[in-house]
Amino acid sequence: MSVEAAELTNSKTVPDIGFGEELTGAEALLRCLILEQVEYVFGYPGGAVLPIYDSLYGSYLRHILTRHEQGAIHAADGYARATGKPGVVIATSGPGATNLVTGIATAQMDSVPLVCITGNVPQNLIGTDAFQEANITGITLPITKHNYFVRDVRDLPRIVKEAFYIATTGRPGPVLIDIPKDVSNQKAPFYYPDRVEIRGYQPTIVPTDEEIQRFLEEIKTAKKPVILAGGGIIAANADQELLAFAEKTRIPVINTFMGLGSFPGVHELALNMPGMHGSYTANQALLQADCVIGLGVRFDDRITMGRTKEFAPNAKIIHVDIDPAELGKNVSTLVTVAGDVKSTLAKALPHASACDTEEWLAQLKAWQAAYPYRYKKEDGALKPQEVIELLYETTRGEAIVTTDVGQHQMWVAQYYKFSRSRSLISSGGLGTMGFGFPAAIGAQLAHPDRTVISVVGDGGFQMTNQELAILGQYNIPVKVVIINNKCLGMVRQWQEIFYDNRYSQVDLSCSPDFVKLAEAYGVKGLRATTSEEARAVWSEALAHKGPVVIDFQVVPEENVYPMVAPGHTLDQMVMGEE
Amino acid sequence: MERHTIAALVNDEPGVLTRVANLFGQRGFNIDSITVGSSEEPGLSRMIITTSGDQQQLDQLMKQLGKLIDVISVTHLSKDPMVSRELALIKVNATPNQLTELNGIVEPFRASIVDIGPNSLIIQVTGDSEKIDALLVLLEPYGIRELTRTGSIAMSRSIVPAPAAV
């Protein structure tokens, strides 16, 4: 356990829950969180949550005080993605609540279970534009799986129970509970329901035998089948079922960006990522496949390029997803199975047989050999891809890697071959800059014994780098790897390619000295500007027991390739430099 | 683009209409009309939504509606025979001496004149939307001062088996 600060040691004994005891809403809320086995709460106090923070004083619950609510919710999100357990965040009314918005939308897009608790002004002031009042249930309506405004303290335990249930079942997602201050102060006898009954919510769908049979029937005769495995595999903890299914059927596996890690990156059947910056082989596989089996994917526009009619033109598409609304949403499918991908694969596995794919696999192998991800090495200059390769080689694909959004995110996807599930933590859907670093804090708290690397750009890091304070305060040993190209690299790349080199507002050369910045927070800071320095500095960072920030100053002109331009189809790949 | 009538049984709670309306906005679905009122079961309301779109859009709309926690069930009413009614109040320019003439228009529609003023009168009509549209065409020459329509309420006919809920 590397988290050493006194605040994090769990010295306090589990409180007696005291059913029937008169408790305030705030006290009841914390009892509910304990009953939900919440390990960490991330948050930031303020006026409307004073009763909750008062109850937290001396509580058994471990609270991480971030330096911004956005840091809190991304940390809760990182915790949730790393564990599959719901992340919990508390913020005050008004600005505290609105600072959660980006984090809630991030979680919603990537189906991450979160329970977000916000305070609000007392009910007699609701609707009066009171100090720090915001209609957060209205604001978050389109970006939550569900939300609640608590009107009566007697409803609070039931609502908390429902919130955890809704967040974690079916297709997971964020749930927000808005608690006005008077409800936090009101008293009621404490209870906690032992089960949830929500008439309009039946999340568990197990596919029928007929559906499974149909699913297998279509696969059996395929000569060029390919599995497209997405974030649903990770959400359902179905990585072992996927591995067994692929090996038994001899069907190669493409992982979407959100699915990376759900299938071993170096497996003989692994084809890595498709789409805009995907591998040549993965994209060719989709173009030439006669059968595409989508498992927990949503065929988003970074894979179909928005050209849904031309997607996988030679294939019948089979789609398994827990969310029936995803079936037939983006692409036309031949067979759809509404169901949890874990139970679907478990049910299908005993009846599955090997497909005749040896010729197809040989073709894919040939493409992989001819068109690997590649970049031009230059003497003296440090290439960003080289840094990611270094991270991969030294951690053998076993680390948890969080990223921000942009070039470095794509290079992580391309060059870091994840060996296990829940190891790539990145905002795939919303594409949230500033996500990676706080998310790494949550992931490291969840897994104190694993190496957690936060790969960030110099742009995104500066959106949430104030959370360095927590690394220092709690001695959380995250390794922050800054791919510092002194500009907003992905925007610069697009301006180079599509806007005739007109580099508009992408220059970040006036960033702080990141080594000194780290040191200002009591965190070790290191820097590398050449390949040799990179190796030396990285092994020093890995050997260091505590948190480290490493400023890898890379060549600024590097672009992410392969690339399919927006509006083009997957056969129009630009391969980049030899 | 086909017109569809959908019934949604929803929790009678604050904000549920907002959730449904928001969903339509978020997903870019059309709402031609939406009506909400109590249902046969205490605590639940029934919404009747008329919308237009192709089969794929309708399928998405019903599935996305079904995902809302406060939505208990969603039924595609217009896929089977149904009864659909709308109420309209129409204020037209007319003097009392035009009453007989207007009665001649109103009666075949089983509509009625429910208020008479010196320069205008109010006609009340119920029926399906097409019938109301037809009456409006006939009243147009008099000058329609004000029009208010409730939007459709609808129910599947008893003789067919009830459509399966989503």
Side-chain angles (χ1 to χ4, degrees), chain A residues 254-331:
Chain A
I254 298 174
N255 267 140
T256 67
F257 177 73
M258 289 306 297
L260 287 170
S262 68
F263 193 76
V266 292
H267 195 280
E268 53 148 351
L269 294 170
L271 304 182
N272 193 259
M273 180 178 76
M276 182 176 272
H277 294 298
S279 71
Y280 179 86
T281 310
N283 283 347
Q284 281 301 317
L286 286 172
L287 286 164
Q288 305 212 8
D290 61 1
C291 178
V292 172
I293 306 150
L295 301 175
V297 290
R298 56 191 178 89
F299 297 99
D300 84 302
D301 56 274
R302 280 298 185 267
I303 294 175
T304 65
M305 307 306 294
R307 304 271 294 260
T308 50
K309 299 250 182 320
E310 290 112 315
F311 177 73
N314 303 305
K316 52 189 178 190
I317 297 177
I318 298 168
H319 191 186
V320 182
D321 203 274
I322 197 164
D323 180 356
E326 287 300 337
L327 306 172
K329 185 178 93 174
N330 288 335
V331 295

Side-chain angles (χ1 to χ4, degrees), chain B residues 100-163:
Chain B
T100 323
E101 182 188 331
L102 273 163
N103 264 324
I105 295 174
V106 160
E107 264 174 25
F109 285 87
R110 297 192 187 184
S112 51
I113 294 166
V114 292
D115 181 62
I116 305 173
N119 298 309
S120 67
L121 46 81
I122 299 175
I123 296 163
Q124 169 194 302
V125 58
T126 56
D128 59 25
S129 303
E130 289 72 22
K131 175 179 156 185
I132 293 170
D133 292 344
L135 178 60
L136 285 170
V137 170
L138 295 177
L139 294 173
E140 190 69 43
Y142 294 86
I144 294 168
R145 278 198 188 184
E146 215 177 312
L147 168 68
T148 177
R149 298 174 70 152
T150 57
S152 293
I153 55 166
M155 210 174 254
S156 60
R157 288 190 182 273
S158 306
I159 44 164
V160 293

